[in-house]
Amino acid sequence: MNPRLAALAATVPPDAAVALAVASRDGEQLLCRGRTDGRSGGAVTPDTGFELGSVSKTFTALLFAESVARGESGLRDAVTVDGTPFTLLHLATHTSGLPRLPPGLRRSALPVWFSNPYAAFPAAELDRALARTRLQFRPGSRVQYSNFGVGLLGRVLAERADSTYPKVLAERITGPLGLTGTGCEPGAAVGHRRGRPLPPWRIPALPGAGAVRSTPRDLLRFLSLHLDPAAAPTAELAAALRDVQRPRLVKPRSEDRICLVWNLRPTADGAVLFHSGGTRGFTTFVGFSPDRGTALAALTNAGPRVHGRFIQTAYRIFRGL
């Protein structure tokens, strides 16, 4: 087994599927191990779909930047909640003041907390939640990670396009970029938590925060386009791919920056941008470095664990490229 793939496989249960997509100056690699459903199912391939969890937010960021590039949205466009306006840029940088989750979601989620916590919170409930929401701080004054915030950004973008999030994502991002295995429908791999199979992840009210599925092959192309925005098929997408990488603020007590959703870390070898994600049954890491011309996506159908090392190992492999 490839040593990089072996290092990742050592961090998950023996039956878990693991996939690794790497782009570097030495070329590209698509490496897979395991089966789509533990010991059963077909073999995992570069075209097997995995749940991305919060890595979905990087697709929402690109959709936002593309909407800005076409003149449909502005970074400073305002949304008002709790009588206080904040901007779409606040949503994309986790500085809006919104809580991590909408009011009422935890109550509906408790019966299925360890399998599918967002599934029982429909899109119609989001309007009622917004009416009950109280901002936790003045917009722009703090950084607080919010699924609610990026999910709301996805809904605003879909409404401005007079569409739904899955459709506008397909029409403006995945379709034009040739990401044929990326969308919001369940993929082939079955998620597992503590060795038990889980149903497909559902997040109907906030798809922009965590509903996207993708394949190792598609993620390799997605990241490679961030390394070379000029290769995008339209001027709007080229501008968007550059715009999502621009630092917007410095994290408190850190040298890290926040771009549009992406985390940026300055290093001696140049800036690295990265994001991780997890559903109850999948864990994902993506990263790229424009200065070094490298990118990596790591996926497994094993859910995050309290003392798990999958994401840390993926980051270490990425930095070692």
Side-chain angles (χ1 to χ4, degrees):
M1 185 186 301
N2 177 279
R4 291 169 180 161
L5 192 65
L8 281 173
T11 69
V12 297
D15 293 338
V18 179
L20 183 66
V22 176
S24 70
R25 294 188 176 96
D26 296 329
E28 296 182 348
Q29 285 185 311
L30 285 163
L31 306 168
C32 302
R33 188 217 73 168
R35 309 191 75 78
T36 57
D37 186 8
R39 296 182 181 181
S40 63
V44 170
T45 75
D47 298 307
T48 296
F50 288 75
E51 294 173 358
L52 300 186
S54 284
V55 169
S56 303
K57 294 178 174 69
T58 66
F59 285 86
T60 302
L62 189 58
L63 184 61
F64 177 32
E66 195 271 352
S67 180
V68 171
R70 67 167 60 213
E72 188 174 79
S73 300
L75 296 174
R76 305 293 175 182
D77 288 358
V79 177
T80 299
V81 173
D82 190 22
T84 302
F86 50 80
T87 67
L88 300 184
L89 180 60
H90 286 137
L91 293 175
T93 55
H94 299 291
T95 56
S96 66
L98 288 172
R100 185 181 183 93
L101 297 173
L105 189 144
R106 284 188 176 87
R107 183 176 61 252
S108 66
L110 281 176
V112 286
W113 186 256
F114 294 108
S115 60
N116 224 338
Y118 292 88
F121 192 82
E125 186 63 30
L126 189 57
D127 289 320
R128 289 186 283 273
L130 283 166
R132 301 197 305 272
T133 296
R134 298 294 175 263
L135 297 187
Q136 299 186 333
F137 53 85
R138 178 173 54 83
S141 64
R142 285 174 50 190
V143 176
Q144 177 174 280
Y145 192 88
S146 176
N147 286 329
F148 189 5
V150 181
L152 179 59
L153 175 62
R155 190 178 92 155
V156 169
L157 297 173
E159 288 177 345
R160 291 187 173 193
D162 193 26
S163 186
T164 65
Y165 180 86
K167 287 182 179 179
V168 74
L169 184 70
E171 291 166 359
R172 297 188 177 182
I173 303 299
T174 61
L177 296 184
L179 308 180
T180 58
T182 302
C184 295
E185 291 302 312
V190 176
H192 288 74
R193 180 178 182 272
R194 296 182 178 177
R196 299 181 62 181
L198 296 177
W201 184 253
R202 300 291 184 185
I203 183 166
L206 303 166
V212 179
R213 278 87 165 167
S214 191
T215 68
R217 192 185 306 278
D218 274 10
L219 287 177
L220 184 61
R221 174 161 174 76
F222 180 66
L223 296 172
S224 295
L225 284 164
H226 284 74
L227 294 177
D228 183 16
T234 67
E236 290 81 8
L237 278 168
L241 286 160
R242 289 189 290 267
D243 205 28
V244 296
Q245 303 180 41
R246 187 159 69 84
R248 309 291 170 162
L249 57 92
V250 179
K251 281 188 175 181
R253 299 174 297 280
S254 170
E255 293 186 354
D256 287 5
R257 276 70 165 164
I258 298 179
C259 304
L260 296 184
V261 167
W262 289 95
N263 301 295
L264 184 151
R265 180 165 295 164
T267 76
D269 299 320
V272 296
L273 292 94
F274 58 94
H275 209 288
S276 61
T279 64
R280 287 294 182 260
F282 290 80
T283 311
T284 306
F285 171 88
V286 293
F288 67 99
S289 174
D291 297 313
R292 299 167 64 189
T294 58
L296 178 144
L299 308 101
T300 182
N301 66 338
R305 295 181 293 172
V306 174
H307 300 294
R309 296 180 292 112
F310 184 85
I311 289 172
Q312 292 87 341
T313 301
Y315 179 78
R316 177 175 55 81
I317 294 170
F318 166 54
R319 288 297 311 277
L321 290 176

